């Protein structure tokens, strides 16, 4: 016998009970994005590797070690399974000239792939809902995106999500800061570990993410980014904070929040939960005004975020917000010669009128069919036996209360089912 094959590590099946929760979350997320004026865009799962190398940055964890990349054997192209959506979204906006008559608000959803070490809340295939506001320079849109998230958490009944906020200035300001930070780190070389030493020159801001207490101590005494910001950057940050106050969205400024992708400038933010263990960030984003030009497009300011569905679904489950699997309205049984065709037509007519109907399949006696009807959660059993067939009728039997069953002529069945479901 063949040994059964298993799913790839870090790539999960979502089984029907859990998938119902996902559907509930996705319906809420899609309606919410559209309500805020964001329009759906769908990008391919596979892109040229160069796109991510350029957008996310060579010296990031994602590009250095987490991408699923390969060379297409047929034409030699270097390809990558997308590790995130922003790069593709901007590539598509440039390719299709989406900003030709003004800024655009876009959203996307779907699986992303990163070859990380799997653990609770961290997978190799995971799912994001992302929003990108393209062509808007002001802090008003930064605030819009952050407040949007706050309102979604409220709507979903999720509590305890903290907002962490920072600004990393303009590229010029960051370059000056970077030089001084390298100086500070070098002066404390003896206390840095191998990982921090490796990042020191390639991507010194990432040293902030170190969990090593010795390194953290060096980081705590690092120069303060705020002191490197010019007037325009400070005004942007203040403008954002004012709007967050107006919306009564609380936040904590975290000067060590730098994010793991290189395209950001000015605003960066993360929504974090304490209930998810080490992988507590449910949503991250920020401004990336340089990305259009970096990818060969006409320069355009932009800002966005992406949220991790797996982590949000865990929080929804914990909050007892699991939407229940919707039970069918009716389960149609049949037994005897010629009854299948009759029952088939009844089920079809009911579905055409908008009801959820399961047609019994797989044979079996009346008793076992009734058991299946009951287990399906259906409100009504519709029974077609030889007796009913001869009379051109259907027996309607309520399964969830003590109402008596009745025989209903075939032409009246849709109307009677509707009355039954309304409690009549
Ligand atoms: P990111 O912080 O890399 O940002 O990912 C956003 C969210 O995706 C994270 O906060 C987390 O919830 C989820 N996530 C990331 N990696 C994993 C994983 N391995 N397993 C499970 N969940 C994960 C971005 O991807 C940017 N594109 C966000 C953005 C949009 N910035 C501007 N626009």
């Amino acid at each position: 016998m063949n040994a059964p094959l298993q799913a790839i590590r870090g790539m999960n099946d979502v089984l029907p009970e859990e998938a119902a929760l996902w559907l509930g979350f996705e319906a809420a997320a899609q309606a919410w994005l559209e309500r805020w004026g964001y329009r759906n865009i769908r990008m391919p799962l596979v892109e040229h590797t160069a796109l991510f190398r350029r957008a996310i940055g060579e010296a990031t964890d994602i590009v250095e070690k987490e991408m699923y990349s390969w060379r297409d054997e047929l034409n030699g192209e270097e390809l990558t399974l997308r590790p995130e959506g922003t790069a593709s979204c901007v590539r598509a906006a440039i390719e299709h000239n989406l900003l030709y008559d003004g800024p655009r608000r876009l959203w996307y959803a779907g699986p992303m792939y990163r070859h990380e070490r799997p653990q609770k809340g961290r997978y190799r295939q995971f799912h994001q809902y992302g929003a990108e506001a393209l062509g808007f320079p002001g802090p008003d849109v930064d605030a819009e995106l952050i407040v949007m998230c706050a309102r979604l958490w409220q709507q979903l009944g999720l509590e305890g999500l903290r907002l962490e906020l920072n600004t990393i200035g303009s590229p010029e300001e960051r370059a000056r800061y970077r030089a001084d930070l390298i100086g500070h780190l070098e002066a404390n070389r003896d206390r840095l570990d191998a990982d921090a030493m490796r990042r020191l020159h390639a991507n010194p801001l990432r040293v902030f993410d170190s969990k090593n207490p010795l390194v953290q101590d060096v980081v705590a005494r690092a120069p303060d980014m705020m002191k490197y910001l010019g007037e325009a950057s400070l005004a942007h940050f203040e403008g954002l904070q004012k709007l967050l106050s107006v919306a009564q969205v609380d936040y904590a400024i975290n000067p060590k929040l730098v994010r793991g992708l290189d395209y950001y400038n000015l605003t960066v933010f993360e929504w974090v939960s304490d209930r998810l263990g080490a992988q507590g960030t449910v949503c991250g984003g920020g401004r990336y005004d340089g990305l259009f030009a970096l990818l060969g497009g006409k320069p355009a300011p932009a800002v966005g975020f992406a949220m991790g569905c797996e982590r949000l679904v865990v929080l929804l489950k914990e909050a007892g917000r699991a939407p229940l699997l919707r039970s069918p309205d009716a389960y149609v049984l049949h037994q005897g010669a010629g009854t299948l065709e009759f029952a088939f037509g009844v089920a079809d007519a009911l579905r055409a009128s908008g009801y959820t109907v399961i047609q019994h399949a797989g044979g079996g006696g009346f008793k076992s069919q009734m058991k299946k009807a009951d287990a399906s959660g259906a409100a009504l059993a519709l029974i077609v036996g030889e007796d009913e067939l001869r009379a051109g009728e259907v027996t309607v039997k309520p399964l969830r209360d003590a109402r008596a069953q009745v025989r209903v002529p075939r032409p009246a069945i849709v109307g009677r089912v509707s009355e039954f479901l309304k409690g009549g």
Side-chain angles (χ1 to χ4, degrees), residues 62 83-87 108 114 116 121-128 130-132 259-261 263-264 270-271 281-288 303-311:
I62 296 178
E84 60 111 44
T86 309
Y108 53 83
R114 297 184 193 174
E116 300 195 72
R122 190 163 76 188
Y123 308 104
R124 291 178 172 172
Q125 174 182 277
F126 60 96
H127 296 75
Q128 287 185 343
E132 314 287 0
R259 310 266 306 129
L261 307 96
Y263 48 59
Y264 294 111
E270 284 185 353
W271 286 95
T281 306
V282 296
C283 176
R287 187 159 273 286
Y288 48 94
V303 52
F305 64 71
M307 53 185 67
C309 299
E310 281 77 4
R311 296 178 191 179

Side-chain angles (χ1 to χ4, degrees), residues 209-230:
D209 292 340
S210 172
K211 302 267 181 300
N212 179 337
L214 268 180
V215 179
Q216 271 181 357
D217 187 49
V218 176
V219 164
R221 290 179 288 106
D224 178 2
M225 178 74 212
M226 293 292 169
K227 299 216 168 78
Y228 292 72
L229 298 181

Side-chain angles (χ1 to χ4, degrees), residues 36 67 90 101 120 166 190 192 197-198 331 339 392 397:
W36 284 77
M67 294 208 299
V90 171
D101 63 353
K120 186 173 170 259
N166 193 20
D190 49 326
L192 300 184
M197 283 303 292
R198 205 173 47 77
Y331 191 100
T339 56
K397 179 178 168 57

